[in-house]
Amino acid sequence: MLGGTERLLWLLLLSLLLPPPSAWGQGGQARPREGTEEAGSAGAWLAFQGLRERLRAAGALSRHYWARFSCRVWPQDCGEDEEASARSPGWSLALLGQQYLDILSTWSCSFWDCCDRGDCRIINNFTGLEADLRVRLHGQHLARELVLTAVRGYLEMPRPDKALALSFHGWSGTGKNFVARMLAENLYQDGLRSNCVKMFISTLHFPHLKNVDLYEEELTDQIRKMQERCRQTLFILDEAEKLHPGLLEALRPHLERQAPSNHRAESKRTIFLFLSGFGHSRLVKEKLIDLFIPFLPLEFRHVRLCARDAFLSQDLLYTEEALDEIARMMVYIPKEEQLFSSQGCKSISQRISYVLPEG
């Protein structure tokens, strides 16, 4: 028996998927002339017959949609018969029906832990990502456009044949980690805490050269397990320029193009973000990195915007003088012109306490 919540979802799904009454047919039968008693009774009978047939067909259709929906949201409770119905090659959802199914799955999974695969909380909020890049990322017009275009284009591909590999380059404090966090927050409801997101920091996770062989095994094993658990994964490799060549080589099979799989199987999608760039890696020589994204040096005006955002994030009032004072605390280069902040916006939030009134 369906629970109250499940019945509500079933009715909502059915109401979304059924066509409007204006689209209901009359079975192709001849219609009596208008304005006669015969027309009235016959018309009522035909309408009743059409409605009954339509409801019978709708019942079969809605049961199929419910099977698809329940197997997606609660796969651990999906029986063999339901799964066969949900995956039957004789059924193919119209685009609109598939969109409704995606919307309902995402909505329901915002309230419950839907499945044990860890991928039910994928949201792919491109509108939110675009807004965050536009409003919160300062001085990086190139990165803003390139990241949004590359990620959205990849995730909207029907069947990608390789992982998306992006390399972020630029000075410290210019926003590389910031953008990586934005991606996690807008692609997954749980952000960096998602079971489908993993960040590696080379000096933290792979500190000892003598253990490179062990690190290679652990790295490939973690990638494989995450890809088995999630249909969409995000791997962030910070301080990528410090990764041992053996670790980069271990990543190569995951970045190469894959042979087309069964067209009915669900395509896996994987994004690799390499922060701080590479040296002369084979990954670069073999053109396995899809895009190199530059993060530009930040000027005084950009640092002021970072200071403003830091005040707002802590619900603190600020003055224009306070923003100027914090921005002037940074070191600018070249020494004569003082055009660019040598550390970007790094440590800005910690400097707020210097300009707050005492008490």
Side-chain angles (χ1 to χ4, degrees), residues 129-145 169-179 181-182 294-313 318 323 340-341 343-346 348:
L129 176 60
E130 182 178 10
D132 278 350
L133 290 170
R134 184 179 67 253
V135 175
R136 301 171 59 198
L137 183 65
H138 306 301
Q140 305 299 347
H141 60 285
L142 293 177
R144 180 172 63 240
E145 298 300 328
H169 296 262
W171 293 1
S172 175
T174 52
K176 299 182 296 296
N177 278 278
F178 192 40
V179 171
R181 186 166 71 248
M182 283 185 191
F295 283 72
L296 306 175
L298 299 182
E299 303 173 16
F300 183 89
R301 59 192 175 96
H302 302 134
V303 177
R304 288 184 84 258
L305 293 173
C306 291
R308 181 204 62 187
D309 291 350
F311 273 102
L312 294 175
S313 68
Y318 65 88
L323 300 184
F340 307 111
S341 170
Q343 289 188 303
C345 285
K346 183 166 287 189
I348 282 290

Side-chain angles (χ1 to χ4, degrees), residues 71-127:
C71 284
R72 174 177 294 194
V73 176
W74 301 289
Q76 70 276 11
D77 298 326
C78 183
E80 292 183 1
D81 292 340
E82 288 176 306
E83 187 169 2
S85 172
R87 300 183 182 277
S88 172
W91 285 89
S92 61
L93 293 181
L95 178 59
L96 185 60
Q98 184 66 54
Q99 289 173 342
Y100 282 141
L101 201 60
D102 292 339
I103 292 170
L104 281 171
S105 300
T106 301
W107 173 75
S108 63
C109 290
S110 67
F111 296 98
W112 308 288
D113 291 329
C114 300
C115 62
D116 55 6
R117 296 180 301 167
D119 65 351
C120 284
R121 298 171 73 86
I122 296 171
I123 55 176
N124 290 346
N125 181 8
F126 299 121
T127 302

Side-chain angles (χ1 to χ4, degrees), residues 2 6 9-10 13 62-70 74:
L2 298 178
E6 293 173 340
L9 286 172
W10 187 89
L13 180 64
S62 63
R63 284 193 297 274
H64 174 73
Y65 273 110
W66 171 254
R68 301 271 308 237
F69 176 72
S70 60
W74 301 289

